[in-house]
Amino acid sequence: MLKASANFIKLLKKQKRENSCLLFLDNVKIIKDALSGGLKPKFILVDNENKNYFDKNVCPIYKVDSKTIEVLSDCKTPQGVLCIVEYIPHIVEKPKTNFLVLDELQDPGNVGTLIRTGIACGFDYVYLVSSVKPTNSKVVRSSVGTIFKSHVISLSKEQFIHYAKEWKLNLIATDMNGENIFKFNSKGICGLIIGNEGQGISDDLASLCSHTVKIPMNAGVESLNASISGAIIMYELNKDKF
């Protein structure tokens, strides 16, 4: 195990501020999911030799103090382990399964939860359209590592509209005036659009949809949280595949 120099730690702090392609993973399970998902670690830091759960041939492993990990971590109570990996964005590709389209979602907790639920429901492709970046630490944490198992593709609204038309995607919108999701029958591969937390689905994407669905609910409730409504609809769309 290597001993981290002051200059090395200073360099890592600088990289964390300036290099948005680097992920500073501070959870052992998420680190293992990232490595099993094919991400290549650059460095691993531990504050105790007993926390070195990793093969020394994987990458350089450094012993540091707890304060260093606290500074580099985005977690209030880090586990004493930190792995720095370079996030390689997925190439833009046509979905081969049902998929999610997140339209200008900015809450990283919602995005991470939707990615996690999407994997559980068989929605293996997630298109982040002008939404929070997949490298956001809260997105990674709330996805509980499933972000490394899905095809998460970040692109602008203009880019998505171009591909949606080129690929002739079957898109479904969500709105309180739509069809009852529990009576709706989808055919073939479809994409579920979840709109911005405050504004809903943009007109540009709504115009691309072939159907609009809703979750029926008691009067007096305008809407559900984005991740909750997305989960209900995704399970319903794919229920016959379980």
Side-chain angles (χ1 to χ4, degrees):
M1 185 176 297
L2 302 171
K3 184 177 180 180
S5 67
N7 285 338
F8 175 72
I9 294 172
K10 184 178 179 181
L11 175 63
L12 289 182
K13 292 177 181 178
K14 184 174 186 291
Q15 288 289 300
K16 183 173 176 60
R17 291 193 306 269
E18 299 177 359
N19 191 341
S20 61
C21 291
L22 289 182
L23 298 178
F24 286 71
L25 306 178
D26 48 25
N27 177 284
V28 174
K29 180 188 181 304
I30 292 176
I31 292 171
K32 290 181 177 180
D33 285 339
L35 301 187
S36 64
L39 270 68
K40 303 299 182 183
K42 297 175 71 67
F43 310 107
I44 292 174
L45 312 180
V46 297
D47 65 5
N48 188 307
E49 292 187 6
N50 294 330
K51 296 177 181 178
N52 181 16
Y53 313 111
F54 310 96
D55 185 338
K56 65 180 180 180
N57 297 317
V58 170
C59 71
I61 301 174
Y62 289 88
K63 171 73 166 56
V64 298
D65 56 40
S66 299
K67 185 63 177 178
T68 296
I69 290 183
E70 288 176 10
V71 170
L72 293 173
S73 170
D74 292 313
C75 180
K76 291 183 179 179
T77 55
Q79 300 177 2
V81 179
L82 192 77
C83 180
I84 296 94
V85 299
E86 184 171 7
Y87 180 80
I88 301 174
H90 284 279
I91 61 171
V92 178
E93 61 177 308
K94 186 177 180 179
K96 299 179 178 65
T97 66
N98 282 355
F99 57 98
L100 265 180
V101 180
L102 306 186
D103 182 13
E104 297 187 28
L105 259 68
Q106 302 304 319
D107 186 315
N110 278 339
V111 171
T113 300
L114 282 164
I115 290 171
R116 182 183 183 186
T117 309
I119 285 291
C121 296
F123 283 63
D124 299 331
Y125 291 76
V126 180
Y127 297 88
L128 300 181
V129 180
S130 301
S131 296
V132 64
K133 299 299 181 184
T135 51
N136 183 289
S137 62
K138 291 183 179 180
V139 170
V140 175
R141 191 176 297 112
S142 57
S143 79
V144 196
T146 54
I147 192 170
F148 306 118
K149 300 177 182 179
S150 61
H151 297 78
V152 179
I153 300 169
S154 185
L155 67 178
S156 69
K157 185 164 295 187
E158 291 74 19
Q159 289 173 316
F160 180 77
I161 291 172
H162 167 77
Y163 288 116
K165 292 179 178 178
E166 179 181 321
W167 297 335
K168 298 180 180 178
L169 297 179
N170 177 24
L171 298 171
I172 298 173
T174 52
D175 186 85
M176 291 300 293
N177 296 317
E179 302 175 53
N180 185 333
I181 183 59
F182 301 111
K183 298 179 180 179
F184 176 76
N185 292 315
S186 61
K187 296 181 180 179
I189 293 175
C190 64
L192 174 65
I193 301 181
I194 303 294
N196 174 272
E197 292 86 355
Q199 305 300 320
I201 297 174
S202 62
D203 291 340
D204 289 338
L205 294 196
S207 66
L208 300 174
C209 296
S210 57
H211 296 87
T212 302
V213 298
K214 70 176 180 181
I215 300 170
M217 60 187 77
N218 288 332
V221 180
E222 293 184 3
S223 63
L224 296 174
N225 171 275
S227 59
I228 292 176
S229 60
I232 293 171
I233 296 173
M234 282 190 287
Y235 271 114
E236 183 64 21
L237 288 173
N238 256 9
K239 66 180 181 181
D240 293 335
K241 298 178 182 178
F242 292 102

